[in-house]
Amino acid sequence: QCVGEFALIDDEPRSATAIATTDVILFRWHKNDFRRALESNATTARGIFRMLTAKLREDLDARPEMHRL
């Protein structure tokens, strides 16, 4: 699960906050490191974009008024 990835991309404040209810392992990416990883590694970029589009599709599916034509 990812939290805060939109803020890494669009320079806007985070749109979500997460609180862990169990032990977790976190990976923190600073904005410049994230951007360098996207620019230098196509596999990483594709993985991030797949994850983001999956989130967007899930959001669209949860909103009946937003169904595609």
Side-chain angles (χ1 to χ4, degrees):
Q1 186 71 26
C2 289
V3 176
E5 70 280 4
F6 286 7
L8 289 171
I9 295 168
D10 66 8
D11 293 322
E12 296 293 324
R14 287 189 335 267
S15 61
T17 297
I19 298 172
T21 58
T22 62
D23 290 345
V24 296
I25 296 173
L26 298 176
F27 181 77
R28 182 178 179 181
W29 236 339
H30 292 277
K31 190 176 293 189
N32 290 338
D33 295 334
F34 176 79
R35 290 181 176 171
R36 266 194 302 273
L38 292 182
E39 291 169 1
S40 66
N41 190 320
T43 302
T44 298
R46 281 191 301 273
I48 295 292
F49 291 127
R50 267 192 231 108
M51 184 261 318
L52 290 174
T53 56
K55 279 186 168 188
L56 291 171
R57 288 179 192 276
E58 187 177 306
D59 286 349
L60 286 174
D61 289 343
R63 296 180 182 176
E65 73 278 5
M66 297 292 289
H67 281 285
R68 297 175 208 102
L69 299 176

